[in-house]
C-alpha cells in the first residue's frame, strides 16, 4: 500500500521490478497521480531478487523522494555476510523547477556550471582517469560536457562526509555493499580504497565476479560489491567520487574499538569520467538465450545545450509484441552521457560501439558521448514501457520515449 502524505500529487516507480504496466508508477501511463492522503494498493511479483530502488517519477525525485528496495533471495538470507545498503544522491536547496528553468535559460549562475574540460585520447587522458579506473577513453580530441548542476551537497544515506554513517562490522568478516545511485544528475565512481572489492551484480542481476577498486555507477544504476575485511580490524571509508569533480561522499565501515579518522568531502583529484571499459568486462551469470531478433531499432540521442532540449530520434515508433526478441541500438550524438533506463524489462548489453559480446543483464546502461550501445530483451507484458535518460533534467527536457508492447 502506497500512501501519499507529502501534500502534493505524486507517483512512485519501482525501479528494477517488473510489475504490470498499470502499476509501473509513471504518471498517466496509464495510472493517474496519487492525490494527497490517497492510498493505492499494489500487488505484483517481487522478481528473482536483487538491489533495486523506488523513486518519484516526477521532479520530486530531486527532493530525495527515493528509497532502497531490496529483494532478498533464500541464498541471501543464508549467506555468511553483512549487508550494507548505500543510497547516493545529490541535493540542492534550489527547487527542481528553478534548476530546470535555469538550465533552459542557459544560465551559469544559481548553481549551474557546464564543465567542458574532459578530453579524449590525443596525447592526454580524460580528466580524472587513472590506470586503475575501469573506464574507456573517449574519441580523440572530443570534449564532453560534465555536471550541468553544481549541487549544495552529495549524500550517502542522506548524510555528507561531515557526519557520515559509521557502520560497525566484524573483524575478518564479509560485507556485501548494495550501492544505489539515486542522484538526479550526478554520476559517481565508488572507491573501496585499500580493501578492494569484488563486483558480483549490477542492477540487481548477477554477473561473473570482477575484482577492482574503482567501480563506475551512473544515475539509476546499482552495484553489489563484496568486501573481505582483514582479521586485524580497523576502519575503512567507502567513497563515491563525483564524476569530473573533487567532491565526494560515502560511509565508513569500522570494527569495534577502531578509531575513525575525519574524511574530507573534497579530494585532491577529480573523480574519474565514466566510460565503457568496465561495461566491456562484464558478463551476465544468466544471459539471454541466443536467438535472432524479431525487430531491430536504431535511436539517435541528441541534445541542444543552448536551450537545453534533448531528444531521441528514431524512438517515435518502437513497437513489440510479447515474447519477441527486440534489439535497440542507441547512438549518442550529444556531448553529455546518458544513462538509459527501460521500464518493465531487464535487457542484456550485446554490443558496444558495434563490437558484439555477451554483456551484463541490466535495466540502465550508460551511453557516453559519441558512443553506441546495443541492448537486447524479450518483450514482456503489454503496455507502453518508458525508455528514457535517467538524468532527471534530460528526461524532463524531452529524452523519453516508449516501447509499445501490444498483444
Amino acid at each position: 500500500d502506497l500512501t501519499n502524505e507529502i501534500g502534493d500529487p505524486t507517483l512512485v516507480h519501482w525501479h528494477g521490478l517488473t510489475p504490470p504496466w498499470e502499476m509501473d508508477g509513471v504518471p498517466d501511463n496509464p495510472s493517474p497521480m496519487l492525490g494527497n492522503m490517497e492510498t493505492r494498493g499494489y500487488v505484483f511479483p517481487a522478481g528473482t531478487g536483487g538491489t533495486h530502488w523506488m523513486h518519484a517519477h516526477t521532479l520530486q525525485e530531486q527532493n530525495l523522494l527515493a528509497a532502497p528496495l531490496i529483494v532478498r533471495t533464500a541464498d541471501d538470507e543464508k549467506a555468511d555476510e553483512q549487508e550494507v545498503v548505500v543510497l547516493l544522491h545529490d541535493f540542492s536547496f534550489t527547487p527542481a523547477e528553478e534548476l530546470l528553468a535555469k538550465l533552459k535559460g542557459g544560465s551559469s549562475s544559481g548553481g549551474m556550471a557546464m564543465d567542458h574540460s574532459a578530453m579524449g585520447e590525443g596525447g592526454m587522458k580524460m580528466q580524472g582517469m587513472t590506470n586503475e579506473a575501469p573506464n574507456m577513453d573517449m574519441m580523440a580530441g572530443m570534449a564532453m560536457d560534465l555536471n550541468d548542476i553544481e549541487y549544495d551537497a552529495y549524500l550517502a544515506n542522506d548524510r555528507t562526509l561531515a557526519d557520515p554513517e559509521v557502520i560497525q562490522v566484524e573483524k575478518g568478516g564479509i560485507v556485501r555493499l548494495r550501492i544505489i545511485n539515486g542522484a538526479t544528475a550526478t554520476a559517481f565512481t565508488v572507491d573501496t580504497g585499500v580493501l578492494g572489492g569484488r563486483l558480483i551484480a549490477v542492477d540487481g542481476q548477477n554477473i561473473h565476479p570482477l575484482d577492482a577498486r574503482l567501480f563506475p555507477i551512473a544515475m539509476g544504476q546499482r552495484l553489489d560489491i563484496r568486501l573481505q575485511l582483514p582479521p586485524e580490524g580497523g576502519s575503512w571509508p567507502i567513497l563515491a567520487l563525483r564524476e569530473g569533480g573533487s567532491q565526494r561522499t560515502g560511509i565508513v565501515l569500522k570494527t569495534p574499538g577502531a578509531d575513525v579518522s575525519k574524511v574530507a568531502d573534497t579530494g585532491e583529484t577529480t573523480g574519474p569520467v565514466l566510460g565503457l571499459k568496465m561495461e566491456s568486462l562484464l558478463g551476465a551469470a544468466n544471459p539471454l538465450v541466443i536467438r535472432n531478433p524479431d525487430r531491430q531499432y536504431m535511436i539517435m540521442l541528441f541534445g541542444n545545450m543552448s536551450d537545453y532540449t534533448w531528444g531521441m530520434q528514431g524512438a517515435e515508433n518502437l513497437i513489440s509484441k510479447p515474447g519477441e526478441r527486440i534489439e535497440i541500438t542507441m547512438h549518442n550524438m550529444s556531448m553529455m552521457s546518458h544513462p538509459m533506463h527501460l521500464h518493465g524489462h531487464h535487457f542484456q548489453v550485446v554490443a558496444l560501439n558495434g563490437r558484439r559480446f555477451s554483456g551484463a543483464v541490466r535495466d540502465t546502461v550508460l551511453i557516453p558521448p559519441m558512443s553506441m550501445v546495443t541492448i537486447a530483451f524479450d518483450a514482456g507484458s503489454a503496455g507502453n514501457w518508458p525508455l528514457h535518460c535517467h538524468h532527471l533534467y534530460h528526461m524532463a527536457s524531452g529524452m523519453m520515449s516508449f516501447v509499445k508492447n501490444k498483444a
Side-chain angles (χ1 to χ4, degrees):
D1 288 340
L2 178 66
T3 301
N4 177 12
E5 298 180 353
I6 68 173
D8 294 305
T10 192
L11 202 58
V12 169
H13 168 54
W14 320 103
H15 188 132
L17 302 188
T18 55
W21 177 47
E22 61 270 16
M23 298 183 182
D24 184 51
V26 177
D28 300 319
N29 185 47
S31 299
M33 298 268 271
L34 193 66
N36 185 43
M37 301 310 298
E38 180 183 350
T39 297
R40 190 172 297 169
Y42 293 80
V43 180
F44 56 84
T48 58
T51 301
H52 307 302
W53 63 305
M54 47 190 164
H55 62 85
H57 217 277
T58 67
L59 290 178
Q60 295 157 336
E61 184 185 344
Q62 182 68 82
N63 299 338
L64 312 184
L65 191 54
L69 180 53
I70 310 302
V71 181
R72 296 185 180 89
T73 66
D75 288 341
D76 292 337
E77 298 285 358
K78 292 185 294 185
D80 184 19
E81 59 187 20
Q82 180 177 349
E83 178 183 278
V84 175
V85 180
V86 182
L87 177 63
L88 304 173
H89 220 298
D90 41 24
F91 174 78
S92 176
F93 289 107
T94 304
E97 293 80 5
E98 187 176 338
L99 291 175
L100 181 58
K102 289 181 177 181
L103 286 168
K104 287 283 191 181
S107 170
S108 60
S109 60
M112 301 299 106
M114 293 294 180
D115 185 338
H116 302 271
S117 59
M119 300 295 293
E121 283 183 318
M124 62 182 293
K125 287 189 176 182
M126 291 175 62
Q127 181 183 3
M129 287 292 293
T130 72
N131 289 331
E132 295 176 280
N135 295 314
M136 180 178 289
D137 289 333
M138 296 291 299
M139 295 177 64
M142 301 298 291
M144 66 185 292
D145 297 305
L146 294 176
N147 300 324
D148 44 11
I149 299 177
E150 290 291 327
Y151 284 94
D152 295 305
Y154 299 89
L155 308 177
N157 293 346
D158 293 340
R159 299 166 76 161
T160 70
L161 283 172
D163 180 29
E165 182 175 9
V166 178
I167 299 169
Q168 185 162 302
V169 294
E170 297 180 358
K171 295 179 179 180
I174 298 174
V175 170
R176 180 182 186 139
L177 297 174
R178 295 182 182 265
I179 301 178
I180 304 159
N181 187 357
T184 57
T186 305
F188 296 97
T189 294
V190 174
D191 184 352
T192 58
V194 297
L195 292 177
R198 173 165 291 179
L199 184 64
I200 58 174
V202 295
D203 295 357
Q205 308 299 313
N206 291 338
I207 61 168
H208 299 301
L210 181 66
D211 293 336
R213 182 177 70 85
L214 299 175
F215 302 90
I217 183 168
M219 296 80 87
Q221 293 184 329
R222 288 87 70 209
L223 300 173
D224 285 41
I225 302 171
R226 185 169 284 141
L227 306 175
Q228 175 66 64
L229 305 183
E232 62 270 21
S235 65
W236 306 275
I238 305 298
L239 301 178
L241 315 177
R242 181 192 181 212
E243 181 184 30
S246 61
Q247 299 92 337
R248 56 191 185 178
T249 187
I251 62 167
V252 177
L253 306 176
K254 72 174 290 291
T255 54
D259 294 329
V260 176
S261 300
K262 179 76 173 178
V263 180
D265 58 10
T266 57
E268 297 179 356
T269 60
T270 56
V273 175
L274 275 64
L276 291 175
K277 184 174 181 181
M278 175 166 275
E279 196 68 52
S280 73
L281 302 176
L282 302 182
N286 300 294
L288 295 182
V289 174
I290 297 175
R291 57 183 279 202
N292 291 327
D294 298 292
R295 303 177 195 251
Q296 294 175 290
Y297 297 100
M298 169 69 81
I299 297 174
M300 309 300 285
L301 309 180
F302 65 89
N304 184 329
M305 297 300 294
S306 61
D307 62 6
Y308 210 75
T309 298
W310 301 92
M312 303 168 62
Q313 183 179 354
E316 305 83 7
N317 197 30
L318 300 175
I319 296 174
S320 63
K321 292 182 179 180
E324 288 185 332
R325 172 64 55 85
I326 309 298
E327 281 197 5
I328 300 176
T329 297
M330 292 173 281
H331 192 176
N332 183 2
M333 300 302 294
S334 78
M335 292 317 299
M336 288 199 77
S337 292
H338 302 294
M340 300 301 295
H341 172 50
L342 176 62
H343 287 223
H345 299 78
H346 300 111
F347 55 75
Q348 185 171 9
V349 179
V350 295
L352 299 176
N353 293 319
R355 184 183 70 85
R356 303 286 300 195
F357 79 121
S358 181
V361 171
R362 289 186 165 279
D363 57 54
T364 308
V365 65
L366 182 71
I367 307 178
M370 299 300 157
S371 297
M372 192 163 53
V373 175
T374 302
I375 62 172
F377 61 94
D378 294 329
S381 58
N384 290 340
W385 295 105
L387 173 64
H388 66 87
C389 180
H390 223 283
H391 185 305
L392 178 64
Y393 300 96
H394 292 180
M395 182 185 73
S397 300
M399 193 163 277
M400 180 167 175
S401 189
F402 300 89
V403 175
K404 300 169 186 175
N405 192 34
K406 300 181 179 181

